[in-house]
Amino acid sequence: MDDNNTYILLDAINKKPIQRTPIWIMRQAGRYLPEYRATKEEAGGFIKLIRNPELACEVTLQPLRRFQLDASILFSDILIISDLLRMELQFIEKKGPVFDAPLSSQKDLDLIGKPDGVEKLSYVFETIDLIKKELNGKVPLIGFIGSPWTVATYLIEGNSTKKFKKVLKILKEDEPFLVRLLELITELSINYLQKQVSHGVDITMIFDTWGSLLNEDEFEKFSLKYIRKIKETLTLNNIPLIYYSRGLANKFKYLENLNIDVLGVDSTVDIKFVKEKLGNKFSIQGNLDVDILRKDEKILSQEVKRILDEFGPGSGHIFNLGTGITPDIEPEKVKLLIDILRDISPKYHIE
Ligand code: CP3
């Protein structure tokens, strides 16, 4: 049994005193690493890689071999849950996820009928088993799902749109269908995340990339409500939950009613402001702009320092990017970022 008290990331989440600010990177296993690209090639593509437990475990561990990261994250995708609805998912190079038959009405859901049981995703659970064995308690493993709203946007749009025309039209014109779909995804997500927990993930996370498309009241009604439902239904036994919201801006009205442990924010918000508003409720994760990893060491140092200054002294902060790392970033820059943080963050933790 791992002794969770040894994980600095969990101490940061629980606001226990720590020696330095911990860090992990969204999409840390990804295309910016040549070894990831090679393993993906070996697997025969992204989806085949996810469905191959040995290779999915291998890419999960790759960034940890290079960098002193404080967490690992399961190599998978939030859209894999569509397997349970028997919806055909492809990932097309430079285009992203595509569903050949996206959903547009209740009729489509009726045609799908009863979803498959979560055992169908056994390849994910096998991957978790392998990763836990390999990690051997070195760093915690983060398991995750997409928020029902964010997953619904892809199931309805069928691809990575920038406009979200279809889903916003359905929101206005066919709310009953949208709500049925959100309820269905919520139920599947609970089963799926619960099973990840039973296989030993140490931290859970919900990615709500597109919650911010909605105005405040809609955000509550179509996204946050289901996050709350997920948290209330799951049996977590002290395993923390990180809720990541992109483009939050000033939509704080309903967030304080969330019973989460960590709020993950992107670089469009001021971490000082978020801490003032919600820091007594949650720990905060973020929020370096990925663009800074394209700049030189001096600017990178300044930015790290600025974020640490804004958060201020003490525990409760997990350093991360505001969004996933992109394929163009040089791996050396990630090493530099971690070195800088290890160098300057200890002085924010002297009691
Ligand atoms: O962070 C990690 O390393 C864990 C694995 C992970 C991936 N996707 C791997 C991935 C996680 C947690 C996700 C979450 C995810 N997936 C989100 C929410 C977070 C976010 O980025 O906003 C979303 C919206 C998706 C859906 C998705 N997957 C899109 C829109 C795309 C295409 C865009 C892109 O970055 O390529 C993906 C592909 C994807 N997911 C890749 C990886 C490593 C790239 C696949 C490749 O190798 O081609």
Side-chain angles (χ1 to χ4, degrees):
M1 207 38 222
D2 303 334
D3 177 3
N4 281 346
N5 294 324
T6 62
Y7 293 139
I8 187 170
L9 200 84
L10 286 180
D11 285 345
I13 292 174
N14 295 320
K15 297 183 180 161
K16 288 194 188 156
I18 41 181
Q19 306 282 320
R20 61 179 176 84
T21 303
I23 179 170
W24 67 279
I25 308 269
M26 285 197 277
R27 296 266 167 105
Q28 61 191 26
R31 286 161 296 183
Y32 72 110
L33 293 179
E35 59 271 35
Y36 167 82
R37 299 196 294 268
T39 311
K40 181 171 115 176
E41 182 89 22
E42 187 190 337
F46 178 59
I47 294 199
K48 286 189 176 149
L49 177 55
I50 289 177
R51 295 201 172 126
N52 181 324
E54 271 87 34
L55 297 183
C57 171
E58 163 60 21
V59 291
T60 302
L61 300 173
Q62 282 170 350
L64 298 161
R65 292 191 195 114
R66 275 185 185 253
F67 314 119
Q68 288 186 292
L69 292 156
D70 294 302
S72 58
I73 179 161
L74 169 70
F75 187 80
S76 186
D77 195 89
I78 63 167
L79 299 179
I80 280 300
I81 200 162
S82 61
D83 263 9
L84 302 180
L85 300 175
R86 297 176 292 279
M87 288 177 72
E88 183 82 23
L89 169 65
Q90 293 177 65
F91 277 84
I92 297 175
E93 216 59 49
K94 302 216 161 68
K95 203 167 164 225
V98 175
F99 289 103
D100 280 344
L103 305 173
S104 54
S105 71
Q106 184 59 41
K107 234 197 258 154
D108 296 331
L109 273 188
D110 293 343
L111 273 174
I112 287 173
K114 192 173 177 308
D116 291 328
V118 78
E119 318 75 61
K120 193 176 182 188
L121 303 175
S122 61
Y123 53 89
V124 176
F125 311 125
E126 272 175 51
T127 305
I128 294 173
D129 292 345
L130 291 175
I131 299 169
K132 283 295 291 178
K133 201 165 143 240
E134 289 288 325
L135 285 176
N136 196 20
K138 194 172 152 242
V139 291
L141 173 63
I142 303 171
F144 65 87
I145 51 172
S147 79
W149 165 257
T150 292
V151 172
T153 63
Y154 287 97
L155 298 186
I156 290 172
E157 294 292 337
N159 56 40
S160 274
T161 165
K162 294 258 154 34
K163 298 210 176 94
F164 302 93
K165 267 196 194 146
K166 289 194 211 162
V167 68
L168 293 174
K169 187 163 187 273
I170 286 172
L171 187 150
K172 296 269 165 344
E173 294 174 6
D174 193 357
E175 195 179 310
F177 160 58
L178 180 61
V179 168
R180 291 275 292 277
L181 178 60
L182 291 169
E183 283 170 354
L184 177 64
I185 302 169
T186 300
E187 190 187 317
L188 299 176
S189 303
I190 290 167
N191 295 340
Y192 179 40
L193 194 56
Q194 189 69 63
K195 191 98 177 168
Q196 294 183 37
V197 167
S198 73
H199 279 260
V201 301
D202 304 283
I203 296 170
T204 56
M205 180 155 172
I206 302 178
F207 287 89
D208 195 9
T209 308
W210 302 121
S212 58
L213 275 181
L214 302 168
N215 70 34
E216 261 191 335
D217 292 338
E218 292 167 341
F219 186 30
E220 162 60 26
K221 194 166 160 193
F222 299 109
S223 183
L224 299 178
K225 178 181 167 188
Y226 300 97
I227 307 298
R228 219 173 283 123
K229 173 85 193 289
I230 290 169
K231 176 66 204 274
E232 278 161 13
T233 315
L234 283 171
T235 305
L236 288 177
N237 296 326
N238 293 326
I239 291 178
L241 174 66
I242 306 173
Y243 168 69
Y244 167 76
S245 176
R246 187 157 152 194
L248 200 54
N250 290 323
K251 291 182 191 134
F252 290 122
K253 193 157 113 192
Y254 300 101
L255 280 177
E256 52 190 63
N257 301 327
L258 278 186
N259 45 359
I260 54 163
D261 302 286
V262 182
L263 177 65
V265 291
D266 71 4
S267 55
T268 62
V269 297
D270 179 342
I271 202 164
K272 185 171 172 210
F273 184 64
V274 179
K275 191 184 175 193
E276 273 163 20
K277 285 267 182 196
L278 298 164
N280 60 340
K281 302 217 76 166
F282 318 129
S283 289
I284 296 163
Q285 176 175 283
N287 71 339
L288 184 76
D289 187 340
V290 66
D291 267 352
I292 304 295
L293 293 177
R294 295 186 188 102
K295 306 272 165 45
D296 64 22
E297 179 169 356
K298 189 163 162 246
I299 294 181
L300 183 54
S301 269
Q302 279 169 356
E303 265 304 294
V304 172
K305 185 168 181 309
R306 187 189 62 76
I307 290 171
L308 293 175
D309 281 341
E310 282 197 5
F311 185 83
S315 194
H317 179 208
I318 301 167
F319 210 95
N320 205 320
L321 303 182
T323 51
I325 191 164
T326 48
D328 59 308
I329 302 298
E330 291 163 25
E332 274 307 300
K333 282 290 173 61
V334 174
K335 181 172 183 306
L336 192 58
L337 164 63
I338 295 171
D339 287 348
I340 293 169
L341 188 70
R342 283 196 172 237
D343 186 33
I344 66 178
S345 72
K347 58 175 180 289
Y348 295 82
H349 294 279
I350 298 163
E351 292 288 298

